[in-house]
Amino acid sequence: MARIEAADFHEITKPGDVRLSPDGEQVAFVRQTPDDDESYESTIYLVPSDGSDDPRQFTVSEGGDSQPRWSPSGDRLAFVSNRGKDDDRPQLWLIPVDGGEARQVTEVPAGVQGISWSPDGTRIAFTQSTTEDEREEGLDVDISEEPEYEREEPDPRVIDRTVYRTGQSYFDGTRSHVYVAHVGDGLASAEDVDVERITDGDVDFGGPEWGDASTLYYTAQDVGEDPDDSHRYSIYAYDTDPDEAEKLHESSGWGAGLAANGEGEIAFLYSEEEQASIQPTELKVLDAESGDVAWITEALDRGLGYESAPEWGPDDVRVYFSTPDEGKTSVWSAPGDASEAPSRVIRPGAVSTGHVGEERFAFAMSEWDHPGDVFVCSRQHPDEPGLDGGVGVEREDCVRLTELNADYLDDVSVQEPEELHFDSEQGEVHGWTITPPEFDPDEEYPLAVEVHGGPHAMWTTAGTMWHEFQTLAARGYVVFWSNPRGSTGYGKEYMQAIERDWGDVTLTDVLAGVDLLADREYVDGDDVHLTGGSFGGFMTSWTVGQTDFFSSAVSQRGVYDLTSFYGSTDGAYSLVEGDFDTTPWEEPEFLWEKSPAGHAHEVETPTLVIHSEDDYRTPACTAELWYRMVRKQGTDTRFVRYPREGHELSRSGEPGHIVDRIERIARWFDGYSDHHDVPRALDREPDDGLSADEDENGNDGNDDDENDE
């Protein structure tokens, strides 16, 4: 069988945003696959929930579709798309389920996000980020009279906010507001749909969720003298008649997602305000009438994942949510009054999205042997307790609805991970390893070590890293990854173990796993390579400043100087205040000592630095500092910067960049490995041996390098 290559990313399809129809008979999901080097095709598919037929394409392959949402009656599907437009302003569309063309129902200036149907099926709430001028002139609800409308780029850009950019874009005077599109009970077109804004002011609103047909709940970042500098947020109830909003509650936390039921109960996320970044995310339920709050996860030593959104079951009694859980994702349910501790519904692989229906639970999941498919299981009831420990999708009532990558997987060799539980001086650590295809235990192989980001994240055997891990193994490396202290999914104490020490605590756990594998006869303990992104980039650069053990390293999108990071990042500056419990003016020497840049003059390990030009989560300025300091020492290094990319480069970057990044990691490792007879990357042309250097027939531009990658 063929070995997996970096360029295979173009062949890999992934599912997302799974939604069950109201009658439970069908599942809608987004099928995403790379379209070319710069873009993806995202299309909505439908599949019978009993697995009786193959999935069928439901929307045309034109632009990017997302957020499929069934109408309460199940006769229409709302979705968001930029079809037919070469811009980043996706609009709201409606399509009849029994056949017919989709119709665009909004024409707004900023693009539609976070759509939610009213229970009577006549309105759809959403958010968009608009300027004060747009709101004053009414352009925020309709720009159809100005089809060429474009915002002017600020020149100069004047900033008056503590947090003024996020992801890979500036706010530029915009605020997120809540809107309602009155779509009626049929298939309206844009000219027939009224859009109204129901929030106002210089405040960011979000998370609109309908309770009953006349009540819409949403959040507002309006707490404190400077809401940008606070993790507190408010929960509001908007009554459509008499068009009034009431503040119900204040909470604190990193996420502000809501889930409301028809009984006036609102599930919301909470974490302690003090050192919020190092606190687990809890789930609570507010009774809108009484103001009482029930703490759903009080007895559960697991925090909700960063993108986890709670959801009410169809009976409006139990609330469902997911958490990282020892290398997998667990889905839990609990009564909304917290009268019982949560019970585990299922603990399969890496669940990326799920939806609870009347009788079934549908979800998208990847496992070690596939990069993602859609599954359904029957919904567990209180008298049928969930699995404790779980057997994945081997439950008798689980059905796999798709095999999106069947043809591809039939032709390539996928390596099954070996699960590891090993001891460091700090206690037990959980990790995995895979070996190269056609593995021979009598041979010796180099070791590639991967460190996850976060820092409070969790790796599994699948998820977004499936392709990268398998590619490195196919290149002849034993690959090792783990969840060292600081990771989520292993309890609060484990997560908080890296407080005021991101570097050495994590490094102790990672090196314990490296020692375990280096003792195996088939691993060359003198040929070990290291990489990681985001916090993993911090750890890579920290590690090579502490030890020359590794043969080479690739540091990606990292934090290299905590003080510079504090001043240049988006809202993530709270990581310094939370995880390190300090600020640059309180302990400047301490933060420098705890930064990789404080030890860059000690680096002897050949280290490639990879960064994104538009990364405002870990801005390039700290990477520039570390790269220059290392280069000044005469250490082998190179700085690779990807234009048009933000912090999500490895997960959702342009397909060509994702492929190029993996190839450059492997090429850098190969050049310092005794098991690969190739020159250092520094001794080759910048694109030599990469896909970008191949001619139209797939031939490498360097004919002399027969043993190249």
Side-chain angles (χ1 to χ4, degrees), residues 333-407:
S333 78
D337 61 2
S339 57
E340 301 172 7
S343 61
R344 186 185 278 111
V345 174
I346 191 170
R347 182 175 175 262
V351 175
S352 58
T353 177
H355 185 221
V356 180
E358 188 70 38
E359 296 182 353
R360 295 184 172 103
F361 169 65
F363 54 99
M365 177 184 68
S366 60
E367 298 177 284
W368 74 266
D369 57 350
H370 69 89
D373 274 305
V374 179
F375 298 80
V376 294
C377 295
S378 64
R379 185 171 68 89
Q380 297 268 316
H381 294 277
D383 57 348
E384 300 171 358
L387 302 175
D388 189 7
V391 291
V393 293
E394 297 175 5
R395 262 178 44 179
E396 292 182 358
D397 63 344
C398 285
V399 179
R400 183 173 183 170
L401 301 182
T402 66
E403 293 188 44
L404 300 178
N405 297 281
D407 291 342

Side-chain angles (χ1 to χ4, degrees), residues 28-69:
F29 66 95
V30 176
R31 178 186 182 274
Q32 184 184 74
T33 189
D35 192 29
D36 51 37
D37 275 348
E38 296 183 356
S39 62
Y40 296 86
E41 177 187 299
S42 298
T43 311
I44 296 171
Y45 275 65
L46 299 183
V47 61
S49 59
D50 60 2
S52 60
D53 204 352
D54 294 332
R56 63 183 177 93
Q57 185 172 339
F58 188 60
T59 58
V60 297
S61 303
E62 184 181 347
D65 299 340
S66 65
Q67 302 179 59
R69 299 292 184 269

Side-chain angles (χ1 to χ4, degrees), residues 254-300:
W254 281 80
L258 300 180
N261 66 16
E263 305 300 319
E265 295 176 306
I266 307 106
F268 64 95
L269 307 184
Y270 165 82
S271 59
E272 295 180 24
E273 188 173 11
E274 186 72 22
Q275 293 185 259
S277 67
I278 206 168
Q279 305 295 340
T281 299
E282 308 281 359
L283 182 63
K284 294 188 176 184
V285 169
L286 168 69
D287 185 311
E289 183 175 351
S290 67
D292 293 339
V293 174
W295 190 346
I296 305 300
T297 53
E298 184 174 13
L300 183 65

Side-chain angles (χ1 to χ4, degrees), residues 213-507:
S214 63
T215 310
L216 181 64
Y217 301 97
Y218 55 82
T219 63
Q221 304 293 139
D222 61 353
V223 182
E225 294 184 5
D226 182 359
D228 285 346
D229 197 32
S230 171
H231 291 292
R232 297 198 65 79
Y233 65 92
S234 301
I235 299 174
Y236 283 84
Y238 170 75
D239 191 337
T240 60
D241 184 14
D243 187 24
E244 292 181 352
E246 176 188 3
K247 183 173 180 176
L248 301 178
H249 188 69
E250 283 187 13
S251 184
S252 63
W254 281 80
L258 300 180
N261 66 16
E263 305 300 319
E265 295 176 306
I266 307 106
F268 64 95
L269 307 184
Y270 165 82
S271 59
E272 295 180 24
E273 188 173 11
E274 186 72 22
Q275 293 185 259
S277 67
I278 206 168
Q279 305 295 340
T281 299
E282 308 281 359
L283 182 63
K284 294 188 176 184
V285 169
L286 168 69
D287 185 311
E289 183 175 351
S290 67
D292 293 339
V293 174
W295 190 346
I296 305 300
T297 53
E298 184 174 13
L300 183 65
D301 193 17
R302 294 288 183 272
L304 278 69
Y306 181 69
E307 296 182 352
S308 177
E311 181 183 0
W312 288 94
D315 55 8
D316 280 349
V317 173
R318 298 184 71 85
V319 63
Y320 292 74
F321 59 97
S322 64
T323 71
D325 191 9
E326 298 185 3
K328 293 187 177 183
T329 304
S330 278
V331 177
W332 308 81
S333 78
D337 61 2
S339 57
E340 301 172 7
S343 61
R344 186 185 278 111
V345 174
I346 191 170
R347 182 175 175 262
V351 175
S352 58
T353 177
H355 185 221
V356 180
E358 188 70 38
E359 296 182 353
R360 295 184 172 103
F361 169 65
F363 54 99
M365 177 184 68
S366 60
E367 298 177 284
W368 74 266
D369 57 350
H370 69 89
D373 274 305
V374 179
F375 298 80
V376 294
C377 295
S378 64
R379 185 171 68 89
Q380 297 268 316
H381 294 277
D383 57 348
E384 300 171 358
L387 302 175
D388 189 7
V391 291
V393 293
E394 297 175 5
R395 262 178 44 179
E396 292 182 358
D397 63 344
C398 285
V399 179
R400 183 173 183 170
L401 301 182
T402 66
E403 293 188 44
L404 300 178
N405 297 281
D407 291 342
Y408 169 70
L409 295 172
D410 283 345
D411 295 333
V412 295
S413 178
V414 179
Q415 301 306 104
E416 181 174 3
E418 173 193 352
E419 188 170 19
L420 305 172
H421 292 274
F422 54 92
D423 289 328
S424 83
E425 63 183 56
Q426 301 168 142
E428 186 177 276
V429 185
H430 188 196
W432 299 267
T433 184
I434 52 176
T435 55
E438 302 172 14
F439 171 70
D440 183 348
D442 294 326
E443 295 291 328
E444 199 172 46
Y445 301 88
L447 177 64
V449 179
E450 295 257 12
V451 182
H452 71 58
H456 308 298
M458 183 194 74
W459 266 349
T460 69
T461 58
T464 58
M465 298 301 294
W466 182 90
H467 175 233
E468 181 171 325
F469 292 164
Q470 293 287 339
T471 298
L472 289 175
R475 295 280 294 232
Y477 291 88
V478 172
V479 183
F480 164 66
W481 67 99
S482 63
N483 287 321
R485 275 159 182 78
S487 303
T488 56
Y490 299 86
K492 182 176 180 178
E493 181 179 350
Y494 197 90
M495 172 189 175
Q496 295 181 339
I498 62 171
E499 182 180 5
R500 289 181 65 84
D501 190 355
W502 276 6
D504 287 344
V505 173
T506 304
L507 182 57

